[in-house]
């Protein structure tokens, strides 16, 4: 398998999951500005959407969208328990979390990267994000991980997007349970190894 990635993007969550699972893969860096891969190919020929993450399988199929990729990977090695079994109620709960992260946290932070956005619009996104973070604070005061006491692919995704808040001087200290959660995940060997590999 090949994981196409760019540093400080949502491709970090499937990278963490690959390392958690101990699966063989190759990392291929993508320049987000030029859309060229490290070996000089046009990334849009691999993923016409033009953004990472993309996972190229041995059969040539390419899977995109982080939430889909991490579930696919988790199902390759169910014994690692990074996702509940397909068809189970808990799997639906996992998908609920992945959708929340994608639509509320990821999509809430992403517009802040647009420096041309008017300050009034930025304030609206920041306010909405504060509310979502308060919800996460309430959840993580009661449990160590999003699904309870076990790390799952949803935690890899949330950890990834929480890392973007520092770019906008949004400190997790305002939400101590979220800050503790982030530190807990940062200490995982898979996360440390993925950070080193992408540096």
């Amino acid at each position: 398998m090949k994981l196409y990635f760019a540093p400080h993007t949502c491709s970090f969550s499937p990278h963490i999951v690959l390392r958690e699972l101990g699966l063989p893969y190759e990392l291929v860096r993508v320049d987000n500005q030029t859309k060229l891969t490290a070996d000089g190919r046009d990334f849009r020929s691999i993923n016409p959407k033009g953004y990472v993450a993309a996972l190229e399988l041995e059969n040539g199929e390419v899977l995109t969208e982080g939430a889909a990729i991490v579930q696919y990977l988790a199902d390759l090695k169910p014994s690692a328990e990074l996702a509940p079994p397909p068809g189970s109620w808990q799997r639906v709960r996992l998908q609920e979390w992945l959708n929340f992260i994608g639509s509320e946290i990821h999509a809430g932070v992403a517009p802040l990267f647009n420096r041309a956005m008017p300050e009034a619009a930025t304030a609206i996104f920041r306010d909405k994000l504060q509310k979502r973070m308060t919800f996460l604070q309430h959840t993580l005061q009661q449990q160590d991980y999003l699904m309870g006491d076990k790390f799952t692919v949803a935690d890899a995704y949330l950890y990834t997007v929480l890392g973007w808040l520092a770019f906008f001087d949004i400190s997790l200290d305002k939400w101590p349970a979220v800050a503790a959660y982030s530190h807990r995940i940062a200490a995982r060997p898979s996360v440390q190894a993925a950070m080193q590999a992408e540096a």
Side-chain angles (χ1 to χ4, degrees), residues 123-141:
I124 291 169
F125 280 103
R126 281 179 174 268
D127 181 59
K128 183 177 178 184
L129 192 56
Q130 299 266 340
K131 292 173 184 167
R132 301 304 178 251
M133 294 299 294
T134 299
F135 170 73
L136 287 173
Q137 167 71 12
H138 177 73
T139 299
L140 294 168
Q141 280 175 323

Side-chain angles (χ1 to χ4, degrees), residues 2 6 30 38 41 49 64 72 82 85 100 107 109 116 134 139 153 181:
K2 290 181 182 178
V30 176
R41 289 176 293 155
K49 297 171 188 171
T64 63
Y72 170 80
L82 291 186
F100 173 81
V109 176
T134 299
T139 299
V153 297
Y181 164 87

Side-chain angles (χ1 to χ4, degrees), residues 49-67:
K49 297 171 188 171
Y51 56 76
V52 294
L55 184 71
E56 187 175 350
L57 309 181
E58 299 299 327
N59 64 5
E61 290 280 346
V62 175
L63 185 59
T64 63
E65 303 303 327

Side-chain angles (χ1 to χ4, degrees), residues 44-92:
R44 289 164 293 205
S45 69
I46 297 153
N47 179 10
K49 297 171 188 171
Y51 56 76
V52 294
L55 184 71
E56 187 175 350
L57 309 181
E58 299 299 327
N59 64 5
E61 290 280 346
V62 175
L63 185 59
T64 63
E65 303 303 327
I69 294 170
V70 295
Q71 289 180 86
Y72 170 80
L73 292 171
D75 290 339
L76 293 179
K77 195 172 179 182
S79 61
E81 298 184 333
L82 291 186
S88 68
W89 176 247
Q90 283 300 97
R91 183 58 168 259
V92 176

Side-chain angles (χ1 to χ4, degrees), residues 6-14 16 32 51-53 65-66 101-114 126 129 133 156-172 175 178 182 195 198:
H8 309 296
T9 68
C10 55
S11 58
F12 193 59
S13 68
I16 293 169
N32 263 345
Y51 56 76
V52 294
E65 303 303 327
I101 298 162
S103 63
E104 300 297 328
I105 310 297
H106 185 159
V109 176
L112 300 179
F113 284 101
N114 182 351
R126 281 179 174 268
L129 192 56
M133 294 299 294
Y157 187 16
L158 180 57
Y159 173 78
T160 297
V161 295
L162 288 176
W164 302 343
L165 297 181
F167 291 119
F168 309 106
D169 296 321
I170 301 172
S171 172
L172 292 182
W175 306 281
V178 180
S182 184
M195 282 182 176
E198 292 194 13

